[in-house]
Amino acid sequence: MSIDEIDRRILRELQRDGRITMAELGERVGLSSTPCGRRVARLEAEGVIKGYTARVNQRALGLPVTVFIAVELENQGADTLARFEKAVAGFEEVMDCFLMTGRQDFLLRVVAGDLEDYERFLQHKLTRIEGIRSIRSRFALRRVADRPDLPMGG
């Protein structure tokens, strides 16, 4: 898969506005709509573009609390990792989950309506996953950067 500068411009524009028309997108990147559409279709087929979503304001939805949770497992066996990954993938409160290097095995980003919602999530969901050694929570005070797009450098 080869990504050239035009592809990067297309990706940059789609990250800014996923609802843009092919005609407008083509105009912004210097192509007519047909070749632009072909490039977008290729980027989708190659998995560079995974899909299109709406960015939602979590505070407006009544979910102002963001918690980062570092989880250490009792062991790093394939079954333990898979069990944990499957469990957290099913929790709607978990926005992101990363397998990490270092002491903690996973880092989760969780949203909640308030501290009581977070406590319920912790007690009734997260701590019930077998194989967890420790859980350390850190509460975000405010978001400093909010980038919807990835850098499209060369």
Side-chain angles (χ1 to χ4, degrees), residues 35-54:
C36 185
R38 280 194 208 110
R39 281 179 178 257
V40 170
R42 179 181 54 81
L43 292 166
E44 291 170 346
E46 291 176 352
V48 175
I49 297 174
K50 293 178 12 177
Y52 301 87
T53 62

Side-chain angles (χ1 to χ4, degrees), residues 7-86:
D7 291 336
R8 283 186 180 78
R9 289 195 310 242
I10 288 171
L11 292 169
R12 216 176 280 119
E13 293 300 329
L14 285 173
Q15 287 181 122
R16 287 186 188 123
D17 181 3
R19 296 175 57 154
I20 191 171
T21 66
M22 279 304 137
E24 178 66 22
L25 179 59
E27 187 176 308
R28 289 186 188 180
V29 301
L31 294 174
S32 65
S33 61
T34 300
C36 185
R38 280 194 208 110
R39 281 179 178 257
V40 170
R42 179 181 54 81
L43 292 166
E44 291 170 346
E46 291 176 352
V48 175
I49 297 174
K50 293 178 12 177
Y52 301 87
T53 62
R55 294 185 63 226
V56 179
N57 180 332
Q58 87 182 55
R59 188 171 294 279
L61 286 175
L63 299 167
V65 177
T66 299
V67 187
F68 293 92
I69 306 168
V71 176
E72 182 181 355
L73 301 178
E74 291 175 352
N75 67 68
Q76 290 72 38
D79 291 344
T80 305
L81 294 171
R83 182 175 41 253
F84 182 84
E85 290 172 12
K86 183 178 180 184

Side-chain angles (χ1 to χ4, degrees), residues 91-106:
F91 299 156
E92 66 181 7
E93 299 89 346
V94 177
M95 299 293 100
D96 294 297
C97 178
F98 298 93
L99 179 62
M100 304 296 288
T101 62
R103 184 176 172 126
Q104 275 72 44
D105 297 302
F106 289 94

Side-chain angles (χ1 to χ4, degrees), residues 123-141:
Q123 290 181 350
H124 299 290
K125 292 183 178 180
L126 191 59
T127 59
R128 300 213 175 168
I129 301 172
E130 186 180 331
I132 294 178
R133 173 175 291 149
S134 71
I135 296 171
R136 291 186 175 79
S137 303
R138 291 180 174 82
F139 291 83
L141 298 177

